[in-house]
Amino acid sequence: MRKGTDVYVPVYAIHRHERLWRDPNAFDPERFAPEQVAARNRYAYLPFGAGPRVCIGSSFATMEAVAVLASLIGGYRLSLQAGYEPRMAVRVTLRPARGLMMELRRRTD
Ligand code: HEM
């Protein structure tokens, strides 16, 4: 490889690699249980990068996401709008291509 060559880390592929993850496409929040995180290679999960330039906002962003989700999920049940097929758009980050059409129902339980 020549000096100056651009090298891209395929984060999307790493996050879904079957040699790194059990059932990689399944929604499985237990993957992030402390004992599973401890058993995993540090470089298997890189949403905030790694090394000396790792994201300095990672703890804040993770805490904020948990706080937002917890306050939403405590009050509402969320489901995809009937017949809506979500599609991915790969930009700098991964996002829904045409928004994410959801239905919110206030929790009564
Ligand atoms: C979900 C939210 C976020 C994601 C996915 C994210 C992701 C990233 C990634 C991938 C990098 C590059 C790391 C590398 O080069 O290896 C980065 C760098 C950085 N992030 Fe974030 N970030 C998030 C939120 C934030 C927040 C909330 C802040 C500030 C409060 C922040 C501040 C920074 C800074 C300053 C850098 C540059 C660090 C450096 O070059 O030394 N990020 N982030």
Side-chain angles (χ1 to χ4, degrees):
M1 189 187 305
R2 277 181 301 139
K3 185 177 174 184
T5 303
D6 290 331
V7 175
Y8 292 89
V9 177
V11 173
Y12 178 90
I14 292 170
H15 286 178
R16 286 162 183 76
H17 202 293
E18 56 193 23
R19 278 165 57 187
L20 299 170
W21 303 92
R22 188 164 27 95
D23 202 1
N25 291 311
F27 175 67
D28 176 12
E30 289 302 315
R31 299 182 200 287
F32 301 99
E35 56 284 3
Q36 289 202 35
V37 171
R40 191 156 55 226
N41 186 302
R42 161 67 185 92
Y43 299 102
Y45 187 61
L46 299 162
F48 297 102
R53 306 309 297 262
V54 71
C55 175
I56 59 165
S58 63
S59 298
F60 174 78
T62 305
M63 190 183 66
E64 186 184 34
V66 170
V68 168
L69 268 178
S71 46
L72 259 181
I73 286 171
Y76 297 92
R77 285 187 184 282
L78 287 90
S79 53
L80 271 185
Q81 211 173 62
Y84 181 76
E85 290 281 335
R87 284 210 312 252
M88 292 187 297
V90 183
R91 303 262 194 287
V92 174
T93 55
L94 204 59
R95 59 185 62 193
R98 300 157 294 137
L100 193 58
M101 305 311 288
M102 308 284 294
E103 285 174 7
L104 274 76
R105 289 200 184 80
R106 199 180 289 279
R107 279 183 187 272
T108 49
D109 47 10

